Short mmCIF file of all heavy atoms in Angstrom, two decimals:
data_model
loop_
_atom_site.label_atom_id
_atom_site.label_comp_id
_atom_site.label_asym_id
_atom_site.label_seq_id
_atom_site.Cartn_x
_atom_site.Cartn_y
_atom_site.Cartn_z
N ARG S 15 -126.59 92.69 -27.85
CA ARG S 15 -125.87 92.91 -26.56
C ARG S 15 -126.46 91.84 -25.62
O ARG S 15 -127.65 91.65 -25.53
CB ARG S 15 -126.11 94.23 -26.01
CG ARG S 15 -125.35 95.37 -26.81
CD ARG S 15 -125.70 96.72 -26.20
NE ARG S 15 -125.10 97.79 -27.00
CZ ARG S 15 -125.79 98.46 -27.92
NH1 ARG S 15 -127.03 98.24 -28.14
NH2 ARG S 15 -125.20 99.44 -28.58
N THR S 16 -125.60 91.23 -24.87
CA THR S 16 -126.11 90.25 -23.84
C THR S 16 -125.15 90.24 -22.62
O THR S 16 -124.01 90.55 -22.75
CB THR S 16 -126.15 88.82 -24.42
OG1 THR S 16 -126.69 87.95 -23.47
CG2 THR S 16 -124.79 88.30 -24.90
N VAL S 17 -125.69 89.97 -21.49
CA VAL S 17 -124.86 89.68 -20.32
C VAL S 17 -125.01 88.19 -19.98
O VAL S 17 -124.73 87.74 -18.84
CB VAL S 17 -125.33 90.60 -19.13
CG1 VAL S 17 -124.93 92.07 -19.36
CG2 VAL S 17 -126.80 90.39 -18.76
N GLN S 18 -125.42 87.31 -20.98
CA GLN S 18 -125.44 85.89 -20.82
C GLN S 18 -124.10 85.37 -21.22
O GLN S 18 -123.70 85.61 -22.39
CB GLN S 18 -126.62 85.30 -21.62
CG GLN S 18 -126.79 83.84 -21.45
CD GLN S 18 -126.01 82.96 -22.37
OE1 GLN S 18 -125.59 83.40 -23.53
NE2 GLN S 18 -125.73 81.72 -21.93
N TYR S 19 -123.31 84.79 -20.40
CA TYR S 19 -122.01 84.26 -20.72
C TYR S 19 -122.04 82.74 -21.08
O TYR S 19 -122.63 81.97 -20.46
CB TYR S 19 -121.00 84.47 -19.59
CG TYR S 19 -119.61 84.19 -20.03
CD1 TYR S 19 -118.88 85.15 -20.50
CD2 TYR S 19 -119.06 82.91 -20.01
CE1 TYR S 19 -117.58 84.98 -21.03
CE2 TYR S 19 -117.79 82.70 -20.50
CZ TYR S 19 -117.09 83.73 -21.05
OH TYR S 19 -115.85 83.46 -21.57
N SER S 20 -121.38 82.50 -22.16
CA SER S 20 -121.24 81.13 -22.61
C SER S 20 -119.84 81.03 -23.44
O SER S 20 -119.45 81.93 -24.01
CB SER S 20 -122.35 80.72 -23.53
OG SER S 20 -122.17 79.54 -24.18
N GLN S 21 -119.29 79.86 -23.28
CA GLN S 21 -118.05 79.62 -24.04
C GLN S 21 -118.30 79.04 -25.41
O GLN S 21 -117.48 78.39 -25.99
CB GLN S 21 -117.17 78.65 -23.27
CG GLN S 21 -116.30 79.29 -22.35
CD GLN S 21 -115.23 80.24 -22.81
OE1 GLN S 21 -115.22 81.43 -22.55
NE2 GLN S 21 -114.31 79.76 -23.63
N TRP S 22 -119.59 79.13 -25.91
CA TRP S 22 -119.81 78.69 -27.29
C TRP S 22 -118.89 79.41 -28.19
O TRP S 22 -118.18 80.32 -27.79
CB TRP S 22 -121.29 79.02 -27.65
CG TRP S 22 -122.27 77.98 -27.14
CD1 TRP S 22 -121.98 77.00 -26.20
CD2 TRP S 22 -123.57 77.92 -27.38
NE1 TRP S 22 -123.17 76.35 -26.03
CE2 TRP S 22 -124.13 76.89 -26.68
CE3 TRP S 22 -124.47 78.71 -28.21
CZ2 TRP S 22 -125.56 76.55 -26.76
CZ3 TRP S 22 -125.79 78.37 -28.28
CH2 TRP S 22 -126.28 77.28 -27.58
N PRO S 23 -118.80 79.03 -29.46
CA PRO S 23 -117.75 79.59 -30.31
C PRO S 23 -117.84 81.13 -30.15
O PRO S 23 -118.95 81.74 -30.22
CB PRO S 23 -118.20 79.17 -31.71
CG PRO S 23 -118.87 77.85 -31.46
CD PRO S 23 -119.57 77.99 -30.14
N LEU S 24 -116.68 81.71 -30.03
CA LEU S 24 -116.61 83.20 -29.84
C LEU S 24 -115.29 83.71 -30.35
O LEU S 24 -114.36 82.97 -30.47
CB LEU S 24 -116.76 83.55 -28.32
CG LEU S 24 -115.75 82.92 -27.33
CD1 LEU S 24 -114.54 83.86 -27.21
CD2 LEU S 24 -116.40 82.82 -25.95
N VAL S 25 -115.34 85.01 -30.65
CA VAL S 25 -114.07 85.79 -30.89
C VAL S 25 -113.98 86.76 -29.81
O VAL S 25 -114.91 87.41 -29.41
CB VAL S 25 -114.14 86.53 -32.22
CG1 VAL S 25 -112.87 87.26 -32.52
CG2 VAL S 25 -114.39 85.44 -33.43
N SER S 26 -112.77 86.84 -29.23
CA SER S 26 -112.57 87.63 -28.05
C SER S 26 -111.27 88.46 -28.22
O SER S 26 -110.36 88.08 -28.92
CB SER S 26 -112.45 86.73 -26.78
OG SER S 26 -112.01 87.50 -25.72
N ARG S 27 -111.30 89.65 -27.62
CA ARG S 27 -109.98 90.34 -27.47
C ARG S 27 -109.14 89.47 -26.55
O ARG S 27 -109.56 89.03 -25.41
CB ARG S 27 -110.13 91.68 -26.92
CG ARG S 27 -110.79 92.70 -27.88
CD ARG S 27 -110.78 94.14 -27.41
NE ARG S 27 -110.45 94.37 -26.07
CZ ARG S 27 -111.27 94.74 -25.06
NH1 ARG S 27 -112.43 95.02 -25.31
NH2 ARG S 27 -110.74 94.93 -23.86
N THR S 28 -107.92 89.24 -26.89
CA THR S 28 -107.03 88.40 -26.07
C THR S 28 -106.83 88.98 -24.73
O THR S 28 -106.91 88.30 -23.73
CB THR S 28 -105.66 88.23 -26.82
OG1 THR S 28 -105.88 87.75 -28.17
CG2 THR S 28 -104.74 87.27 -26.10
N ASP S 29 -106.62 90.33 -24.68
CA ASP S 29 -106.45 90.99 -23.32
C ASP S 29 -107.77 90.74 -22.44
O ASP S 29 -107.62 90.62 -21.21
CB ASP S 29 -106.07 92.43 -23.45
CG ASP S 29 -107.17 93.29 -24.14
OD1 ASP S 29 -108.08 92.76 -24.74
OD2 ASP S 29 -107.02 94.57 -24.01
N TYR S 30 -108.95 90.75 -23.07
CA TYR S 30 -110.07 90.51 -22.24
C TYR S 30 -110.13 89.14 -21.72
O TYR S 30 -110.39 88.93 -20.48
CB TYR S 30 -111.34 90.77 -23.09
CG TYR S 30 -112.68 90.53 -22.32
CD1 TYR S 30 -113.05 91.33 -21.27
CD2 TYR S 30 -113.40 89.41 -22.68
CE1 TYR S 30 -114.29 91.10 -20.62
CE2 TYR S 30 -114.56 89.16 -21.97
CZ TYR S 30 -115.00 89.98 -20.94
OH TYR S 30 -116.16 89.68 -20.23
N HIS S 31 -109.76 88.08 -22.59
CA HIS S 31 -109.85 86.76 -21.99
C HIS S 31 -108.79 86.53 -20.93
O HIS S 31 -109.00 85.90 -19.91
CB HIS S 31 -109.58 85.75 -23.17
CG HIS S 31 -110.73 84.81 -23.37
ND1 HIS S 31 -111.93 85.16 -23.91
CD2 HIS S 31 -110.91 83.58 -22.95
CE1 HIS S 31 -112.72 84.11 -23.95
NE2 HIS S 31 -112.12 83.11 -23.34
N ARG S 32 -107.66 87.15 -21.08
CA ARG S 32 -106.59 87.09 -20.06
C ARG S 32 -107.16 87.78 -18.75
O ARG S 32 -106.89 87.30 -17.64
CB ARG S 32 -105.36 87.79 -20.52
CG ARG S 32 -104.54 87.04 -21.44
CD ARG S 32 -103.25 87.74 -21.86
NE ARG S 32 -102.42 86.99 -22.79
CZ ARG S 32 -101.96 87.42 -23.91
NH1 ARG S 32 -102.16 88.71 -24.28
NH2 ARG S 32 -101.26 86.60 -24.68
N ALA S 33 -107.82 88.91 -18.89
CA ALA S 33 -108.33 89.70 -17.76
C ALA S 33 -109.39 88.94 -16.97
O ALA S 33 -109.34 88.86 -15.76
CB ALA S 33 -108.89 91.07 -18.12
N ILE S 34 -110.30 88.29 -17.69
CA ILE S 34 -111.34 87.53 -16.96
C ILE S 34 -110.74 86.27 -16.24
O ILE S 34 -111.17 85.90 -15.14
CB ILE S 34 -112.57 87.06 -17.91
CG1 ILE S 34 -112.08 86.12 -18.95
CG2 ILE S 34 -113.34 88.31 -18.36
CD1 ILE S 34 -113.29 85.52 -19.74
N LEU S 35 -109.77 85.72 -16.83
CA LEU S 35 -109.10 84.52 -16.18
C LEU S 35 -108.38 85.05 -14.92
O LEU S 35 -108.31 84.30 -13.90
CB LEU S 35 -108.16 83.77 -17.13
CG LEU S 35 -108.94 83.11 -18.24
CD1 LEU S 35 -107.92 82.68 -19.31
CD2 LEU S 35 -109.71 81.93 -17.73
N ALA S 36 -107.68 86.16 -14.98
CA ALA S 36 -106.96 86.72 -13.88
C ALA S 36 -107.92 87.17 -12.82
O ALA S 36 -107.61 87.02 -11.63
CB ALA S 36 -106.04 87.83 -14.31
N ARG S 37 -108.99 87.84 -13.22
CA ARG S 37 -109.95 88.44 -12.26
C ARG S 37 -110.86 87.44 -11.51
O ARG S 37 -111.23 87.64 -10.39
CB ARG S 37 -110.73 89.46 -13.02
CG ARG S 37 -111.63 90.37 -12.07
CD ARG S 37 -112.40 91.48 -12.85
NE ARG S 37 -111.46 92.29 -13.61
CZ ARG S 37 -111.56 92.52 -14.97
NH1 ARG S 37 -112.54 91.92 -15.64
NH2 ARG S 37 -110.70 93.25 -15.56
N HIS S 38 -111.30 86.39 -12.25
CA HIS S 38 -112.32 85.58 -11.71
C HIS S 38 -111.82 84.11 -11.40
O HIS S 38 -112.72 83.37 -11.01
CB HIS S 38 -113.55 85.54 -12.74
CG HIS S 38 -114.12 86.89 -12.99
ND1 HIS S 38 -114.87 87.45 -12.06
CD2 HIS S 38 -114.09 87.62 -14.05
CE1 HIS S 38 -115.31 88.61 -12.55
NE2 HIS S 38 -114.84 88.79 -13.74
N PHE S 39 -110.52 83.83 -11.53
CA PHE S 39 -110.09 82.45 -11.28
C PHE S 39 -108.77 82.58 -10.51
O PHE S 39 -107.90 83.32 -10.82
CB PHE S 39 -109.82 81.69 -12.60
CG PHE S 39 -111.09 81.50 -13.41
CD1 PHE S 39 -111.55 82.37 -14.29
CD2 PHE S 39 -111.82 80.31 -13.15
CE1 PHE S 39 -112.72 82.17 -14.99
CE2 PHE S 39 -112.95 80.03 -13.91
CZ PHE S 39 -113.39 80.97 -14.81
N LEU S 40 -108.71 81.77 -9.48
CA LEU S 40 -107.37 81.70 -8.74
C LEU S 40 -106.40 80.90 -9.63
O LEU S 40 -106.86 80.08 -10.42
CB LEU S 40 -107.66 80.94 -7.49
CG LEU S 40 -108.58 81.64 -6.38
CD1 LEU S 40 -108.86 80.61 -5.30
CD2 LEU S 40 -108.00 82.92 -5.97
N PRO S 41 -105.14 81.21 -9.42
CA PRO S 41 -104.15 80.52 -10.18
C PRO S 41 -104.35 78.95 -10.02
O PRO S 41 -104.46 78.51 -8.81
CB PRO S 41 -102.78 80.99 -9.66
CG PRO S 41 -103.10 82.37 -9.13
CD PRO S 41 -104.48 82.23 -8.60
N GLY S 42 -104.30 78.24 -10.95
CA GLY S 42 -104.47 76.80 -10.92
C GLY S 42 -105.86 76.24 -10.62
O GLY S 42 -106.04 75.09 -10.46
N GLU S 43 -106.86 77.23 -10.58
CA GLU S 43 -108.25 76.84 -10.32
C GLU S 43 -108.78 75.96 -11.45
O GLU S 43 -108.68 76.38 -12.63
CB GLU S 43 -109.13 78.02 -10.10
CG GLU S 43 -110.49 77.70 -9.59
CD GLU S 43 -111.23 78.95 -9.15
OE1 GLU S 43 -110.83 80.10 -9.52
OE2 GLU S 43 -112.26 78.74 -8.45
N ARG S 44 -109.23 74.75 -11.22
CA ARG S 44 -109.63 73.81 -12.14
C ARG S 44 -111.13 73.87 -12.36
O ARG S 44 -111.91 73.14 -11.75
CB ARG S 44 -109.21 72.38 -11.76
CG ARG S 44 -107.69 72.28 -11.63
CD ARG S 44 -107.32 70.91 -11.13
NE ARG S 44 -105.83 70.83 -11.20
CZ ARG S 44 -105.13 69.91 -10.60
NH1 ARG S 44 -105.67 68.97 -9.97
NH2 ARG S 44 -103.84 69.93 -10.72
N LYS S 45 -111.54 74.65 -13.30
CA LYS S 45 -112.97 74.90 -13.57
C LYS S 45 -113.14 75.21 -15.01
O LYS S 45 -112.25 75.60 -15.73
CB LYS S 45 -113.52 76.11 -12.80
CG LYS S 45 -113.70 75.82 -11.35
CD LYS S 45 -114.29 77.01 -10.70
CE LYS S 45 -114.50 76.75 -9.16
NZ LYS S 45 -115.15 77.94 -8.56
N MET S 46 -114.33 75.01 -15.54
CA MET S 46 -114.73 75.50 -16.85
C MET S 46 -114.86 77.00 -16.70
O MET S 46 -115.21 77.57 -15.65
CB MET S 46 -116.10 74.91 -17.30
CG MET S 46 -116.12 73.36 -17.39
SD MET S 46 -114.94 72.78 -18.67
CE MET S 46 -115.87 73.15 -20.11
N ILE S 47 -114.58 77.71 -17.72
CA ILE S 47 -114.66 79.25 -17.72
C ILE S 47 -116.06 79.63 -17.39
O ILE S 47 -116.31 80.59 -16.55
CB ILE S 47 -114.14 79.86 -19.05
CG1 ILE S 47 -112.65 79.49 -19.19
CG2 ILE S 47 -114.40 81.28 -19.02
CD1 ILE S 47 -112.05 79.93 -20.47
N GLU S 48 -117.07 79.03 -17.96
CA GLU S 48 -118.48 79.41 -17.67
C GLU S 48 -118.82 79.37 -16.20
O GLU S 48 -119.51 80.17 -15.78
CB GLU S 48 -119.41 78.51 -18.44
CG GLU S 48 -119.31 78.74 -19.90
CD GLU S 48 -120.03 77.54 -20.70
OE1 GLU S 48 -120.04 76.45 -20.21
OE2 GLU S 48 -120.58 77.91 -21.75
N THR S 49 -118.20 78.37 -15.47
CA THR S 49 -118.52 78.30 -14.05
C THR S 49 -118.46 79.55 -13.27
O THR S 49 -119.32 79.88 -12.54
CB THR S 49 -117.68 77.17 -13.44
OG1 THR S 49 -117.84 75.94 -14.20
CG2 THR S 49 -117.97 76.90 -12.01
N ASN S 50 -117.31 80.24 -13.45
CA ASN S 50 -117.13 81.43 -12.69
C ASN S 50 -117.62 82.68 -13.42
O ASN S 50 -117.71 83.73 -12.74
CB ASN S 50 -115.59 81.64 -12.40
CG ASN S 50 -115.10 80.66 -11.33
OD1 ASN S 50 -115.78 79.72 -10.95
ND2 ASN S 50 -113.97 81.01 -10.70
N MET S 51 -117.94 82.62 -14.66
CA MET S 51 -118.40 83.74 -15.42
C MET S 51 -119.92 84.04 -15.46
O MET S 51 -120.33 85.16 -15.67
CB MET S 51 -117.83 83.70 -16.85
CG MET S 51 -116.32 83.81 -16.88
SD MET S 51 -115.72 85.31 -16.14
CE MET S 51 -116.39 86.56 -17.09
N TYR S 52 -120.74 83.04 -15.16
CA TYR S 52 -122.14 83.17 -15.24
C TYR S 52 -122.58 84.31 -14.31
O TYR S 52 -123.22 85.30 -14.75
CB TYR S 52 -122.92 81.98 -14.77
CG TYR S 52 -122.91 80.88 -15.76
CD1 TYR S 52 -122.69 79.51 -15.42
CD2 TYR S 52 -123.30 81.07 -17.05
CE1 TYR S 52 -122.78 78.51 -16.31
CE2 TYR S 52 -123.42 80.13 -18.03
CZ TYR S 52 -123.10 78.80 -17.61
OH TYR S 52 -123.18 77.73 -18.52
N GLY S 53 -122.20 84.26 -13.01
CA GLY S 53 -122.65 85.28 -12.07
C GLY S 53 -122.17 86.70 -12.34
O GLY S 53 -123.04 87.63 -12.46
#
């Protein structure tokens, strides 16, 4: 178990990936996913 986020190769639930993008990124926000997910 970890709370260290990285976009290294991963398998994810599709709904989870959609949720983190909706929750932590503004529409059209141009960032790497890790940028907003670390904190």
Side-chain angles (χ1 to χ4, degrees):
R15 292 178 183 94
T16 183
V17 292
Q18 186 270 335
Y19 190 88
S20 171
Q21 275 293 121
W22 279 8
L24 60 86
V25 180
S26 170
R27 288 191 347 252
T28 306
D29 63 344
Y30 176 72
H31 241 77
R32 285 182 179 129
I34 64 173
L35 292 167
R37 187 176 307 125
H38 299 288
F39 295 86
L40 297 171
E43 191 169 13
R44 297 176 176 169
K45 291 184 176 179
M46 299 296 284
I47 294 174
E48 291 168 327
T49 303
N50 284 20
M51 292 306 297
Y52 283 134

